[in-house]
């Protein structure tokens, strides 16, 4: 009887090397993009106290009601949760370490999030987000800057077909007046509501607008609009954001039904959406959350941020035919014989000192079989060392992609000259 295999947890994926190289490309692009806007990294725990999320995200939300991986620490009885999103933890850290004492902050993080959802394409139980947050800026300029950041990133990644949806959620008092009308409207149409909507009718009617149930869409379309309940200050903020976007030539659609799945937002909310990922088309979402810092026990501070779904964006990057460096190596090092193999280790380390990537043949075998592996490896050169070469401190250097450089034949090179010779050839090829 064979031992049963252990599989990964449903909805939690391994990212294998071919795929992981696209992740690397994505992360490199993202980090330099963030730096160009003055955002600094912050690294946060994956596990946080459960009350943090209940207080921040809101009790009557999909995430807190049914998507959180919560458990009790068996050693001390503390209620803990695998983070379903990053903003709450980031705000906790900002308060805990008093980061706003001196100056506003622009922060970002990248990492796993966990939500117990039904797994499907673009929706997983462990997924990754890049989160971008700013603290201490109250005006529409930072909202607009964060939206412009998105537009630039899609360009940097070479992605097109990602469009911007924009809305404003106003302030608490404006939402309260709208809420009453909304409840009355849904009460009048109670027979059309589904179970979820009925349950939220009095606890969180705004959430009903976020429902994905196709049967509710007409009803939602006819619902009273929050935007009609906004006062002058909220309207001015919203217009301030739009001005900057128009000046920058970033097109957007105002979507009055865009309310976001978390309770902490106010004023500006936005989503970047593609039509290429089916129902899971939102690749980036965010907005302003001015009340959250105070709500989590800090001194009041305005804040604004967004999160990107990395799986969805890397998927688009792959589909767009993006290229990674792959596993391509500069050198495959072939060696046989006792003295040759000792020299080979030294040669390999010396080449790496000079910045050359070396795949060192392990596992012995004949020259012939090693050369086959070298050819199959995709490396640019084979460096070949036998005892004869070793005896005189030389190696054979053989271009493996001869089609690219027909003039280059195999030749003998002194060990001391090898790195220079390889660098020279790589440089010449790049030039040609
Ligand atoms: P959705 O409406 O798709 O459920 P959401 O409003 O729950 O999204 P946010 O909490 O705003 O999502 O998260 C920001 C982004 O993270 C989303 O736009 C999406 O790209 C990504 N994301 C959210 N949940 C998942 C998931 N389960 N798997 C993969 N990516 C996700
Ligand atoms: Mg969701």
């Amino acid at each position: 009887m064979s031992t049963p295999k252990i599989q990964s947890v449903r909805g939690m994926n391994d990212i294998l090397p071919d795929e992981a190289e696209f992740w690397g490309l994505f992360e490199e692009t993202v980090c330099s993009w963030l730096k160009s806007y003055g955002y600094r990294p912050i690294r946060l725990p994956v596990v946080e106290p459960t009350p943090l999320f209940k207080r921040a995200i809101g009790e009557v939300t999909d995430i807190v009601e049914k998507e959180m991986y919560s458990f009790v620490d068996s050693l001390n009885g503390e209620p803990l949760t695998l983070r379903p999103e990053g903003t709450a933890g980031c705000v906790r850290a900002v308060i805990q370490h008093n980061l706003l004492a001196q100056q506003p902050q622009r922060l970002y993080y990248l990492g796993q999030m966990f939500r117990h959802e039904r797994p499907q394409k673009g929706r997983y139980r462990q997924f990754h987000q890049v989160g971008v947050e700013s603290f201490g800026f109250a005006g529409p300029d930072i909202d607009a800057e964060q939206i412009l950041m998105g537009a630039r990133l899609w360009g940097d990644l070479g992605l097109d077909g990602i469009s911007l949806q924009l809305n404003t959620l106003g302030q608490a008092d404006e939402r309260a007046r709208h809420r009453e009308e909304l409840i009355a409207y849904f009460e009048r149409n109670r027979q059309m509501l589904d179970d979820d909507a009925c349950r939220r009718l009095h606890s969180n009617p705004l959430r009903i607008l976020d429902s994905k149930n196709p049967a509710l869409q007409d009803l939602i379309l006819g619902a009273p609009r929050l935007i009609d309940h906004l006062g002058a200050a909220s309207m001015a903020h919203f217009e301030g954001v739009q001005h900057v976007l128009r000046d920058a030539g970033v097109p957007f659609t105002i979507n009055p039904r865009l309310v976001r799945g978390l309770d902490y937002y106010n004023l500006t909310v936005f989503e970047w959406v593609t039509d290429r990922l089916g129902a899971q088309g939102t690749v980036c979402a965010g907005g302003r959350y001015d009340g959250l810092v105070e709500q989590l026990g800090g001194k009041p501070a305005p804040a604004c941020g967004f999160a990107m779904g990395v799986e969805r964006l890397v998927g688009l990057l792959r589909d767009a035919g993006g290229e990674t460096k792959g596993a391509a190596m500069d050198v495959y090092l072939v060696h046989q014989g006792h003295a040759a193999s000792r020299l080979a280790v030294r040669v390999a380390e010396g080449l790496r000192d000079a910045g050359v990537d070396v795949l060192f043949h392990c596992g012995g075998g004949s020259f012939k079989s090693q050369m086959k592996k070298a050819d199959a490896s995709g490396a640019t050169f084979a460096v070949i060392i036998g005892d004869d070469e070793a005896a005189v401190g030389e190696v054979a250097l053989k271009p493996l992609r001869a089609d690219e450089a027909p003039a280059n034949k195999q030749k003998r090179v002194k060990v001391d000259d090898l790195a220079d010779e390889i660098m020279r050839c790589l440089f010449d090829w790049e030039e040609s």
Side-chain angles (χ1 to χ4, degrees):
M1 207 179 76
S2 65
T3 314
K5 289 189 207 122
I6 296 178
Q7 303 280 340
S8 63
V9 175
R10 187 166 135 78
M12 304 204 184
N13 301 318
D14 301 312
I15 297 158
L16 303 180
D18 280 348
E19 179 80 16
E21 275 159 5
F22 277 95
W23 282 65
L25 184 70
F26 175 80
E27 284 164 14
E28 267 172 42
T29 309
V30 160
C31 288
S32 64
W33 161 76
L34 284 160
K35 180 154 188 307
S36 78
Y37 284 89
Y39 281 79
R40 298 183 67 203
I42 184 166
R43 294 183 183 242
L44 302 160
V46 167
V47 176
E48 295 276 3
T50 303
L52 174 68
F53 300 114
K54 291 194 172 169
R55 230 203 280 174
I57 298 170
E59 299 262 5
V60 194
T61 56
D62 277 348
I63 295 179
V64 171
E65 277 182 333
K66 53 191 188 205
E67 295 176 0
M68 293 208 301
Y69 283 90
S70 297
F71 57 98
V72 172
D73 183 329
S74 61
L75 296 180
N76 63 9
E78 195 183 356
L80 300 174
T81 293
L82 298 184
R83 62 181 182 195
E85 55 99 59
T87 303
C90 187
V91 171
R92 179 206 43 73
V94 162
I95 297 169
Q96 184 170 336
H97 303 286
N98 206 15
L99 293 189
L100 296 178
Q102 308 301 331
Q103 57 186 4
Q105 295 283 339
R106 287 176 162 93
L107 302 171
Y108 77 90
Y109 47 84
L110 186 157
Q112 285 92 334
M113 306 294 159
F114 301 85
R115 297 185 193 177
H116 200 281
E117 307 201 63
R118 192 170 66 77
Q120 51 196 294
K121 188 175 183 320
R123 191 176 293 286
Y124 310 102
R125 291 182 174 174
Q126 176 183 263
F127 63 101
H128 296 71
Q129 285 183 340
V130 175
V132 177
E133 321 279 2
S134 72
F135 299 94
F137 302 102
D141 46 0
I142 190 90
D143 315 29
E145 182 187 88
Q146 290 192 346
I147 294 171
L148 295 188
M149 287 176 76
R152 176 176 300 280
L153 181 62
W154 318 142
D156 289 355
L157 292 169
L159 300 177
D160 53 19
I162 301 179
S163 59
L164 175 61
Q165 306 234 326
L166 191 64
N167 192 22
T168 176
L169 297 182
Q171 302 291 13
D173 54 326
E174 293 157 346
R175 278 205 298 281
R177 284 197 295 279
H178 170 243
R179 182 193 151 104
E180 279 169 31
E181 273 197 32
L182 206 54
I183 293 177
Y185 171 80
F186 286 127
E187 287 277 14
R188 286 199 299 280
N189 296 281
R190 204 179 177 119
Q191 73 292 348
M192 296 169 70
L193 299 181
D194 60 14
D195 288 350
D196 249 7
C198 281
R199 209 162 32 79
R200 286 176 177 176
L201 182 50
H202 290 277
S203 57
N204 202 342
L206 203 60
R207 271 293 78 69
I208 302 177
L209 301 180
D210 199 27
S211 166
K212 305 218 161 63
N213 181 353
L216 285 182
Q217 297 311 307
D218 279 349
L219 186 65
I220 290 171
L221 214 54
R225 300 178 340 153
L226 176 60
I227 207 165
D228 300 325
H229 294 74
L230 296 185
S234 293
M235 277 318 281
H237 190 100
F238 194 36
E239 266 148 25
V241 175
Q242 295 176 53
H243 276 311
V244 179
L245 297 181
R246 283 201 196 94
D247 283 350
V250 173
F252 57 87
T253 307
I254 295 179
N255 175 0
R257 295 187 301 146
L258 183 67
V259 296
R260 311 283 305 110
L262 307 90
D263 274 356
Y264 48 61
Y265 289 106
N266 68 310
L267 292 174
T268 316
V269 288
F270 60 90
E271 291 193 0
W272 289 97
V273 186
T274 169
D275 52 13
R276 307 207 179 137
L277 293 172
Q280 270 57 253
T282 303
V283 293
C284 174
R288 183 162 277 283
Y289 52 94
D290 292 327
L292 188 58
V293 177
E294 185 178 24
Q295 204 178 311
L296 293 179
K299 276 221 289 280
C304 187
F306 61 92
M308 299 185 275
V310 180
E311 279 77 1
R312 296 180 193 180
L313 283 166
V314 170
L316 290 177
L317 195 60
R318 265 202 101 131
D319 294 348
E323 268 185 45
T324 66
K325 285 198 218 89
M329 299 295 287
D330 300 320
V331 166
Y332 193 101
L333 212 159
V334 168
H335 53 95
Q336 201 200 33
H338 186 66
S341 294
R342 287 181 64 188
L343 177 61
V345 174
R346 206 154 56 74
V347 167
E349 290 299 324
L351 287 176
R352 292 180 189 120
D353 285 343
V356 177
D357 297 338
V358 182
L359 199 63
F360 184 84
H361 179 84
C362 285
S366 67
F367 272 123
K368 198 167 162 224
S369 72
Q370 291 191 36
M371 280 309 296
K372 265 197 189 153
K373 294 210 164 89
D375 278 323
S377 75
T380 310
F381 297 99
V383 167
I384 304 156
I385 312 180
D387 282 342
D388 291 351
E389 285 92 352
V392 291
E394 290 184 357
V395 306
L397 178 64
K398 181 181 184 201
L400 293 176
R401 299 184 311 195
D403 52 317
E404 284 180 28
N408 286 277
K409 289 261 157 51
Q410 176 168 333
K411 59 181 158 191
R412 293 276 281 241
V413 181
K414 287 226 161 311
V415 166
D416 291 341
D417 300 335
L418 182 62
D420 284 347
E421 179 64 18
I422 288 174
M423 290 311 239
R424 198 180 54 73
C425 291
L426 289 173
F427 184 76
D428 285 353
W429 288 0
E430 253 164 43
E431 294 289 281
S432 67

